[in-house]
Amino acid sequence: MTESEGVSLVGNGSTAAPDKNVPGGLRSSRICVAEVNKQGETDEEKLEGDNRYFCENCQSKQNATRKIRLLSLPCTLNLQLMRFVFDRQTGHKKKLNTYIGFSEILDMEPYVEHKGGSYVYELSAVLIHRGVSAYSGHYIAHVKDPQSGEWYKFNDEDIEKMEGKKLQLGIEEDLAEPSKSQTRKPKCGKGTHCSRNAYMLVYRLQTQEKPNTTVQVPAFLQELVDRDNSKFEEWCIEMAEMRKQSVDKGKAKHEEVKELYQRLPAGAEPYEFVSLEWLQKWLDESTPTKPIDNHACLCSHDKLHPDKISIMKRISEYAADIFYSRYGGGPRLTVKALCKECVVERCRVLRLKSQLNEDYKTVNNLLKATVKGNDGFWVGKSSLRSWRQLALEQLDEQDDESKEERKEEEEELNFNEDILCPHGELCISENERRLVSKEAWSKLQQYFPKAPEFPSYRECCSQCKILEREGEENEALHKMIANEQKTSLPNLFQDKNRPCLSNWPEETDVLYIVSQFFVEEWRKFVRKPTRCSPVSSVGNSALLCPHGGLMFTFASMTKEDSKLIALIWPSEWQMIQKLFVVDHVIKIIRTEVGDVNPSETQYISEPKLCPECREGLLCQQQRDLREYTQATIYVHKVVDNKKVMKDSAPELNVSSSETEEDKEEAKPDGEKDPDFNQSNGGTKRQKITHQNYIAYQKQVIRRSMRHRKVRGEKALLVSANQTLKELKIQIMHAFSVAPFDQNLSIDGKILSDDCATLGTLGVIPESVILLKADEPIADYAAMDDVMQGKETCLRNVLLNVLELANI
């Protein structure tokens, strides 16, 4: 190996002696690459400061130096060139394509500490990795025969002998790099080689005498070889026989095609029809010829269909006789096989289609004229737009099969049925129909004789008129009810001057409670009375347990449960009782307890709290938060204690100035609910809560509990049984940060146990996890310079040794 490359060897401190059990008496040892000086020693590394050596005798840290020495070398050297390194910036391995120069003769005597032996090695093998990536490519081995001195290239099952007993890398170095800049290949002298793809060199100790040993093959091994050779010879004979049979069949088929090819075309002599597909298969020698099958070309009269002529071939009667005699099949289709009835029907349809084009222009001209008085007919606008297509479909339905298939596949309205009301009369909506003249209706009726007929003087459906009148009256009634309720409860509708439990109003001692769901539904009706149904009752049963007790404490109604209830003033409650049907009255009463001035204030609910159901509800909610599936969490990447956005995926960011009502968040694939889907627990929940409360809670909490996504965070879809390690892999794909460089925390708690599930770690739906990424401490982009001798630090050498040892 030349000195200019600055690459030499570091031994493992062990000696290697000839092995009598190995052919050639050689034992190999793996050696990695390092920088070695002229005296056979690596550069000394000083251990000072924080890196001092701990002396066991002194029981203290002392300044020291360390180095590696080569005491002896084995008979075979395996030199690994460290083509593959780990890039901490990307979290993946990469390949170094640096040119490495190596000689055919390597003298290691100057680098060995104990002199007196022969340490001249000759190159015996070169292993090549073709490819620019560490995750793909192809491996090729170049091996030298120690007896003949000839080089062989092993490329999978292909073995190639090189010319001139010389190592020739050749095209193994011709690789297209991803970058435009190509490193120029250095000049190599005689007896040296340069390679950018060699990743292992094998040197063998050079001896004066060529080994000329005769190896005695064991008897059992010779028997196995003879048995395999016998099977191989039998296989060769079988393959030869099969090939001979295939050649004979091919020749016979060739002679048959040659014989019939000239007599195949039909001239003035009688002819027959044969399937074109069958003829193509007959000409194909790779597949056996099957009997002739002409059934697919027959019509309902068991004759040749005129539309199938294009897929048939007209051949001579002489060729047809030979085909049917050799291959069989049928039925035979002679010159008289063409169906006369189908031909006549086809001609009729063609004439009708031609007439349809003329009638289409005529009807369009007639529709331009204005119809006055009672001389016209009502036709549906949708039917007028598609009447030509409907007529063509009727003409195309000629055989029974197509009619049955059409009836099974579609059930569409026929012509002019789009203006029929549910009672079979003329619909009352004038926007869906149009008045046409008698001439236009006469043309249309020729194609649709069974279409419903509505003269212009015919009245609309009386029942539909009554229903329409009732609908208008209902809309007017709904508007009146909405206006009355809005006037009676203006502050509740506008959400103004509302009481608050945390700041109890002094002017009253009683506040009433209704569900927030009732208030929202009532407001929707008041805003749009013609589109929404009126609210007739106050469903407070959703706030109670099956035993009739309240499901909320006073403290919870001031905090997390405040979004589930609405507080009502006593005056408003009197009005609500007049306007709506109230199933249960729920109220909070303030009382003064004790004679001391000032006395203690207590708040009592009617009905009272049910402790068992309340505790069961809390347990069920906590269980649901630990058993979720397909839930959304958010991850912030933090740099210098600031939340920043990853520039690589700006499409995942949502402006914080936009509200949830104006912009719907994009849901990941497979997410059915904007919050999360419950995996189980539904049956248990019904035992401790009321079913109406469950439905109410889902409808009310859905929007209020949704996390507002801000700029700089990314949403991930996770499950409670997912491990922290799996979450880190998701974060790696989203932020391009390797799992071992991720520091995750939630609410000030560090997440470190990779085997723990997200449910046990307290990660619930809508959680926000902070990500702090460790910056890489080594620049592996400079590894190419290391391979060229610009880095001599022993620390990098030790890292390479550890990676080779799979530590």
Side-chain angles (χ1 to χ4, degrees):
M1 190 169 296
T2 59
E3 184 182 351
S4 60
E5 279 79 39
V7 181
S8 185
L9 305 175
V10 171
N12 54 9
S14 63
T15 60
D19 192 347
K20 298 180 180 180
N21 296 325
V22 178
L26 299 179
R27 178 185 297 167
S28 63
S29 176
R30 177 179 294 181
I31 297 179
C32 64
V33 177
E35 184 73 18
V36 180
N37 58 18
K38 290 295 185 181
Q39 285 71 29
E41 300 175 355
T42 60
D43 290 345
E44 293 183 353
E45 181 184 5
K46 296 182 179 181
L47 305 179
E48 300 175 347
D50 294 338
N51 199 26
R52 289 182 298 172
Y53 174 75
F54 181 79
C55 180
E56 295 182 355
N57 296 330
C58 302
Q59 293 297 316
S60 62
K61 291 185 177 182
Q62 303 291 336
N63 294 336
T65 59
R66 66 176 179 182
K67 58 184 177 180
I68 297 177
R69 297 181 298 171
L70 299 180
L71 301 180
S72 61
L73 293 177
C75 299
T76 303
L77 301 180
N78 293 331
L79 311 183
Q80 294 197 13
L81 303 182
M82 297 300 296
R83 286 288 181 190
F84 308 117
V85 296
F86 183 77
D87 189 352
R88 296 194 62 178
Q89 293 181 349
T90 60
H92 301 281
K93 285 187 177 183
K94 71 173 184 179
K95 180 186 177 182
L96 303 178
N97 294 316
T98 308
Y99 274 107
I100 295 295
F102 53 92
S103 59
E104 295 184 357
I105 303 298
L106 179 62
D107 187 4
M108 294 298 298
E109 185 177 359
Y111 307 103
V112 182
E113 182 174 351
H114 300 295
K115 311 297 181 181
S118 176
Y119 295 102
V120 179
Y121 292 83
E122 61 179 351
L123 187 65
S124 60
V126 178
L127 278 71
I128 297 291
H129 173 267
R130 294 193 62 184
V132 296
S133 171
Y135 297 95
S136 63
H138 186 62
Y139 293 91
I140 300 175
H142 300 77
V143 183
K144 181 181 180 181
D145 186 356
Q147 297 183 1
S148 63
E150 295 176 340
W151 282 89
Y152 293 86
K153 182 172 74 172
F154 295 83
N155 185 3
D156 291 341
E157 69 276 4
D158 298 330
I159 302 176
E160 178 184 351
K161 180 180 179 181
M162 299 184 182
E163 299 179 358
K165 295 186 178 182
K166 294 182 180 180
L167 174 63
Q168 300 174 6
L169 299 179
I171 61 172
E172 314 304 335
E173 300 300 319
D174 298 338
L175 291 178
E177 294 186 354
S179 60
K180 296 182 179 179
S181 60
Q182 298 260 351
T183 306
R184 177 179 293 183
K185 183 177 180 180
K187 295 182 179 179
C188 299
K190 185 177 181 181
T192 60
H193 303 276
C194 291
S195 173
R196 69 192 314 166
N197 291 323
Y199 80 99
M200 180 180 289
L201 306 177
V202 180
Y203 283 89
R204 185 188 298 270
L205 186 63
Q206 196 177 53
T207 57
Q208 299 296 332
E209 298 180 358
K210 295 292 181 180
N212 190 14
T213 58
T214 302
V215 179
Q216 184 67 29
V217 180
F220 75 94
L221 185 59
Q222 184 65 44
E223 182 181 355
L224 292 176
V225 173
D226 295 340
R227 188 185 307 168
D228 289 343
N229 290 339
S230 177
K231 290 182 178 180
F232 180 73
E233 291 177 358
E234 293 177 359
W235 178 82
C236 290
I237 296 174
E238 183 179 356
M239 289 296 104
E241 184 64 24
M242 292 177 59
R243 181 179 180 183
K244 182 178 181 300
Q245 293 178 2
S246 177
V247 171
D248 294 340
K249 290 182 180 179
K251 289 182 178 180
K253 189 64 173 289
H254 180 73
E255 293 296 332
E256 181 185 13
V257 172
K258 184 178 179 181
E259 173 191 359
L260 295 178
Y261 187 76
Q262 301 296 333
R263 303 293 302 272
L264 194 63
E269 60 188 47
Y271 59 85
E272 293 188 17
F273 292 97
V274 178
S275 172
L276 183 60
E277 181 182 2
W278 183 87
L279 281 177
Q280 292 174 347
K281 293 181 178 180
W282 172 70
L283 291 172
D284 187 6
E285 300 179 359
S286 60
T287 58
T289 306
K290 297 182 180 180
I292 303 174
D293 186 8
N294 292 327
H295 289 89
C297 306
L298 302 181
C299 66
S300 58
H301 311 101
D302 290 333
K303 292 186 178 182
L304 180 60
H305 199 289
D307 292 340
K308 305 295 184 179
I309 294 295
S310 59
I311 61 174
M312 304 297 290
K313 181 69 175 177
R314 193 166 61 97
I315 64 175
S316 64
E317 188 178 24
Y318 173 80
D321 292 337
I322 296 178
F323 283 148
Y324 283 105
S325 62
R326 292 182 181 179
Y327 303 105
R332 298 186 65 165
L333 302 178
T334 62
V335 65
K336 299 180 180 180
L338 186 62
C339 183
K340 183 178 179 180
E341 297 179 10
C342 291
V343 172
V344 173
E345 181 64 20
R346 172 56 59 188
C347 294
R348 187 186 69 84
V349 171
L350 292 177
R351 286 196 301 268
L352 290 177
K353 287 184 177 181
S354 177
Q355 183 63 34
L356 176 61
N357 294 332
E358 298 296 330
D359 291 342
Y360 180 73
K361 297 178 182 178
T362 303
V363 171
N364 285 342
N365 293 331
L366 292 175
L367 291 178
K368 296 177 182 178
T370 304
V371 181
K372 297 181 181 180
N374 297 327
D375 297 335
F377 290 83
W378 291 110
V379 181
K381 292 182 178 180
S382 176
S383 296
L384 283 177
R385 288 192 296 267
S386 59
W387 76 269
R388 184 184 182 184
Q389 182 64 27
L390 292 174
L392 285 174
E393 291 176 357
Q394 289 184 1
L395 294 176
D396 290 338
E397 295 176 3
Q398 297 301 324
D399 52 64
D400 297 335
E401 294 180 359
S402 61
K403 289 181 180 179
E404 292 178 359
E405 291 177 359
R406 179 171 179 82
K407 289 180 181 179
E408 293 177 358
E409 292 177 358
E410 14 176 272
E411 295 181 358
E412 298 180 355
L413 293 176
N414 295 324
F415 181 79
N416 218 26
E417 290 183 356
D418 52 331
I419 58 175
L420 285 177
C421 73
H423 312 97
E425 299 293 335
L426 181 64
C427 68
I428 61 177
S429 177
E430 295 184 0
N431 295 329
E432 299 179 1
R433 48 192 168 93
R434 178 181 175 179
L435 194 63
V436 301
S437 62
K438 292 182 179 180
E439 293 80 4
W441 175 252
S442 177
K443 287 288 185 183
L444 295 172
Q445 204 172 26
Q446 293 178 5
Y447 294 95
F448 310 102
K450 297 182 180 180
E453 182 177 322
F454 299 106
S456 58
Y457 56 82
R458 188 167 178 176
E459 295 292 337
C460 300
C461 180
S462 57
Q463 298 183 27
C464 291
K465 288 183 178 180
I466 296 174
L467 294 175
E468 183 183 18
R469 191 180 306 112
E470 292 178 355
E472 293 176 355
E473 293 175 356
N474 290 335
E475 289 183 359
L477 180 60
H478 290 176
K479 290 181 181 179
M480 183 182 66
I481 295 175
N483 188 38
E484 180 184 357
Q485 294 179 356
K486 180 179 179 182
T487 306
S488 302
L489 301 170
N491 290 337
L492 181 60
F493 175 74
Q494 299 176 5
D495 199 16
K496 293 182 179 179
N497 190 23
R498 307 313 306 156
C500 181
L501 292 180
S502 59
N503 187 14
W504 189 280
E506 296 293 336
E507 60 272 17
T508 183
D509 292 333
V510 178
L511 291 177
Y512 293 86
I513 294 177
V514 296
S515 66
Q516 185 67 26
F517 178 72
F518 158 75
V519 177
E520 294 295 336
E521 292 297 316
W522 173 72
R523 286 173 180 170
K524 290 180 182 180
F525 165 71
V526 174
R527 291 190 188 99
K528 300 177 180 179
T530 59
R531 298 183 181 179
C532 301
S533 301
V535 180
S536 59
S537 62
V538 178
N540 275 347
S541 59
L543 305 179
L544 304 178
C545 71
H547 313 109
L550 187 63
M551 295 293 296
F552 310 105
T553 63
F554 181 83
S556 68
M557 287 187 291
T558 61
K559 296 179 181 179
E560 64 271 10
D561 292 331
S562 61
K563 297 179 181 180
L564 307 179
I565 63 173
L567 299 176
I568 305 298
W569 295 102
S571 58
E572 292 177 335
W573 180 252
Q574 295 178 1
M575 189 58 62
I576 287 177
Q577 286 182 319
K578 295 180 181 179
L579 298 175
F580 308 98
V581 177
V582 180
D583 55 354
H584 297 281
V585 179
I586 303 176
K587 58 183 177 180
I588 304 294
I589 303 173
R590 180 179 64 176
T591 60
E592 303 292 339
V593 180
D595 298 333
V596 181
N597 191 18
S599 59
E600 183 182 356
T601 303
Q602 285 188 353
Y603 300 95
I604 303 174
S605 65
E606 292 184 3
K608 295 183 179 180
L609 175 71
C610 182
E612 295 180 359
C613 293
R614 174 64 182 177
E615 183 180 357
L617 174 63
L618 295 177
C619 294
Q620 185 63 44
Q621 290 177 346
Q622 294 297 325
R623 188 180 299 111
D624 291 341
L625 292 177
R626 298 296 184 269
E627 297 177 356
Y628 58 86
T629 57
Q630 300 296 308
T632 302
I633 65 172
Y634 301 90
V635 180
H636 277 298
K637 185 179 180 183
V638 179
V639 176
D640 297 332
N641 296 326
K642 295 181 180 179
K643 299 174 183 178
V644 297
M645 177 181 62
K646 191 72 176 176
D647 297 333
S648 61
E651 67 277 2
L652 296 178
N653 300 296
V654 178
S655 176
S656 59
S657 63
E658 297 176 344
T659 63
E660 290 293 335
E661 296 179 357
D662 297 334
K663 189 177 186 70
E664 282 292 331
E665 295 178 356
K667 295 187 284 290
D669 295 340
E671 185 177 0
K672 300 179 180 179
D673 189 87
D675 294 325
F676 62 95
N677 300 326
Q678 300 295 337
S679 61
N680 51 24
T683 305
K684 296 181 180 179
R685 184 190 301 175
Q686 293 180 2
K687 295 180 181 179
I688 59 176
T689 63
H690 196 275
Q691 186 174 3
N692 294 336
Y693 170 74
I694 301 172
Y696 156 77
Q697 188 183 36
K698 288 184 178 180
Q699 296 177 8
V700 176
I701 296 181
R702 179 170 297 178
R703 179 169 292 274
S704 60
M705 295 299 289
R706 181 181 293 177
H707 173 79
R708 175 163 294 188
K709 191 176 178 183
V710 297
R711 183 179 298 275
E713 68 184 14
K714 296 183 180 179
L716 300 180
L717 203 62
V718 298
S719 301
N721 57 356
Q722 183 175 329
T723 62
L724 181 63
K725 183 178 181 181
E726 295 172 343
L727 175 62
K728 287 184 176 182
I729 295 176
Q730 287 183 262
I731 296 176
M732 178 184 68
H733 293 297
F735 290 90
S736 298
V737 178
F740 47 78
D741 285 334
Q742 298 177 15
N743 295 319
L744 305 180
S745 62
I746 178 172
D747 298 331
K749 176 185 176 182
I750 303 298
L751 305 179
S752 57
D753 189 359
D754 290 343
C755 298
T757 61
L758 300 185
T760 57
L761 293 176
V763 180
I764 62 176
E766 304 294 324
S767 297
V768 179
I769 297 179
L770 299 183
L771 166 65
K772 181 70 170 67
D774 290 339
E775 298 298 329
I777 59 176
D779 185 10
Y780 282 91
M783 288 300 292
D784 288 349
D785 298 335
V786 176
M787 300 302 293
Q788 296 183 14
K790 296 182 180 180
E791 283 287 335
T792 59
C793 180
L794 184 60
R795 185 178 293 107
N796 292 337
V797 176
L798 296 177
L799 288 176
N800 294 338
V801 173
L802 292 177
E803 186 170 350
L804 279 176
N806 296 324
I807 297 178

